[in-house]
Amino acid sequence: MRRFILCTALLFAGGLLAGCGNKGPLVLPPGQSGSTVAPNASVPAPATSAPLPDGP
């Protein structure tokens, strides 16, 4: 009997936890059309090294 109550309580708790979270369809933020790359993505400038100082 004790095992039955424990299993029932665990199943009930699992059911409650499974019901947590956002409900409804997935909604993208405004301005997102589903593409992964932004149309105005800028390319970073190539890195340049500073000139080395003259030695002693």
Side-chain angles (χ1 to χ4, degrees):
M1 183 68 179
R2 183 176 174 160
R3 177 177 270 177
F4 174 75
I5 294 173
L6 179 63
C7 289
T8 304
L10 288 175
L11 286 173
F12 182 73
L16 286 177
L17 289 175
C20 295
N22 294 334
K23 303 289 185 211
L26 176 65
V27 179
L28 294 175
Q32 297 289 330
S33 61
S35 64
T36 57
V37 177
N40 296 346
S42 62
V43 178
T48 58
S49 61
L52 295 174
D54 292 334

